[in-house]
Amino acid sequence: MRIVHSPAAMTAWSEGLRREGVTIGFVPTMGALHDGHRALIRAARLHCDALVVSIFVNPAQFAPHEDLATYPRPIAKDRALCREEGVDVCFEPTTTTMYPAGFQTVVTVPSVARRWEGESRPHHFGGVATVVTKLFGIVRPHLALFGQKDFQQAALVRRLVKDLDLGVRIIVRPTVREPDGLAMSSRNVYLSPEERRTAPIFYRALEAGRKAVERGVKDAASAQTIMRELLAGEPAVRIDYLAVCDPATLEPLTTIGRQAVLLGAIRIGSVRLIDNVVVKTGGKKRRPDR
Ligand code: PAF
């Protein structure tokens, strides 16, 4: 596996392969890789000949009060996972090469980014959209994979790829969960043992909402009540937001039709967790988002 730091070298490698007709797959990450990333890498392998994983803790998507400085950076472990999974290039740019002096362009996707994570973290999606656009420009992949856990991020990336004609196929893969249902996340390491025991209540609440909708609850407020009551049983949990939305537009629903996404963010102590489940009513029975 090659480790590439320079954006120019990364692009040269990709362009060389593209000229030979090689299909390039890409998994962008901020490192601290876990089995969710591993699943994305494995899924990518099925669709491409050459695979790039980027590891870049993107300062532009953190607010000054957030965890940029403490975000886990176990680079040796991350590289080992990439090697194990047969990744061809680990692209590890630096902040200075990504955002050199004079850098000023910001990519925004106003409507998708407006609500939910966008309200709680107003600067966040500008940073994500900008870095993803840059990474696509540098890596020049044919396809890129994202996890469903970051549902709104995936919707934003799809939108920006379409709007800016970036020509990258976006594949979104199901959330990978711990056996007790907690969605895998690089930030789970921040949970104390007690908080970790509490955390699966989030998925249980989302699942309770999903089951209620599948049983015929059509009223989004009732689905919300079911989820909120379960979360209220855990005094350590504070709800940041909890929403029943249209999966395409992310606008809140009053009445649930054929599809909805139940999504939210909670805090347990100082740790913020996000998660979601998609509900489809009618038609074929769906498998839980595991
Ligand atoms: O999901 C993430 O890890 C990040 O938001 C991404 C897409 C790598 C951009 O920094």
Side-chain angles (χ1 to χ4, degrees):
M1 182 181 80
R2 285 166 200 240
I3 295 167
V4 175
H5 297 288
S6 135
M10 183 67 249
T11 306
W13 184 86
S14 290
E15 280 302 315
L17 290 186
R18 285 182 81 103
R19 277 194 294 277
E20 291 167 20
V22 171
T23 303
I24 301 171
F26 179 39
V27 179
T29 83
M30 298 208 301
L33 304 181
H34 49 66
D35 281 352
H37 296 110
R38 196 189 289 276
L40 291 179
I41 292 170
R42 288 186 181 172
R45 264 271 158 251
L46 305 175
H47 297 278
C48 67
D49 309 310
L51 181 53
V52 179
V53 169
S54 64
I55 298 180
F56 177 59
V57 184
N58 173 34
Q61 66 191 75
F62 291 77
H65 66 277
E66 291 182 341
D67 56 342
L68 174 64
T70 53
Y71 197 85
R73 290 167 170 83
I75 191 66
K77 267 179 74 185
D78 288 348
R79 286 178 184 163
L81 186 148
C82 289
R83 267 192 206 98
E84 249 169 64
E85 295 301 328
V87 169
D88 297 287
V89 173
C90 198
F91 176 47
E92 302 171 12
T94 62
T95 302
T96 331
T97 53
M98 289 296 276
Y99 301 114
F103 183 92
Q104 54 180 290
T105 303
V106 175
V107 180
T108 54
V109 190
S111 158
V112 183
R114 189 173 72 241
R115 292 183 187 277
W116 321 127
E117 283 303 284
E119 270 163 9
S120 296
R121 306 180 67 194
H123 60 283
H124 175 68
F125 282 130
V128 171
T130 304
V131 83
V132 168
T133 307
K134 275 183 72 75
L135 287 168
F136 284 178
I138 295 165
V139 175
R140 315 226 168 148
H142 294 87
L143 56 107
L145 284 88
F146 292 82
Q148 188 195 307
K149 184 178 80 72
D150 296 288
F151 191 93
Q152 195 173 1
Q153 169 173 282
L156 171 126
V157 171
R158 282 193 202 283
R159 187 75 248 170
L160 89 86
V161 165
K162 198 168 167 36
D163 289 352
L164 300 181
D165 304 298
L166 297 184
V168 179
R169 179 178 162 209
I170 302 302
I171 299 176
V172 178
R173 298 289 304 160
T175 303
V176 177
R177 298 182 182 280
E178 301 288 355
D180 60 10
L182 176 66
M184 288 197 182
S185 162
S186 306
R187 289 188 166 103
N188 290 351
V189 296
Y190 298 152
L191 294 164
S192 70
E194 202 183 327
E195 291 166 345
R196 175 64 189 81
R197 279 192 292 278
T198 305
I201 189 68
F202 193 12
Y203 180 59
R204 285 209 294 281
L206 292 169
E207 274 291 279
R210 179 183 69 76
K211 284 180 189 144
V213 175
E214 285 186 350
R215 277 197 312 271
V217 169
K218 292 257 172 267
D219 169 29
S222 306
Q224 282 256 11
T225 306
I226 289 164
M227 296 189 285
R228 282 177 188 274
E229 278 176 358
L230 258 171
L231 291 171
E234 282 291 354
V237 171
R238 276 174 302 136
I239 298 174
D240 188 342
Y241 63 85
L242 203 56
V244 179
C245 319
D246 180 320
T249 62
L250 287 168
E251 290 299 312
L253 293 169
T254 312
T255 306
I256 300 166
R258 292 180 70 79
Q259 277 199 45
V261 57
L262 314 182
L263 83 172
I266 63 165
R267 280 182 198 278
I268 305 179
S270 61
V271 187
R272 188 168 181 278
L273 303 173
I274 62 170
D275 201 354
N276 66 82
V277 299
V278 173
V279 198
K280 292 189 174 130
T281 56
K284 277 202 289 191
K285 201 147 178 50
R286 58 171 296 292
R287 290 184 317 152
D289 295 288
R290 301 194 67 110

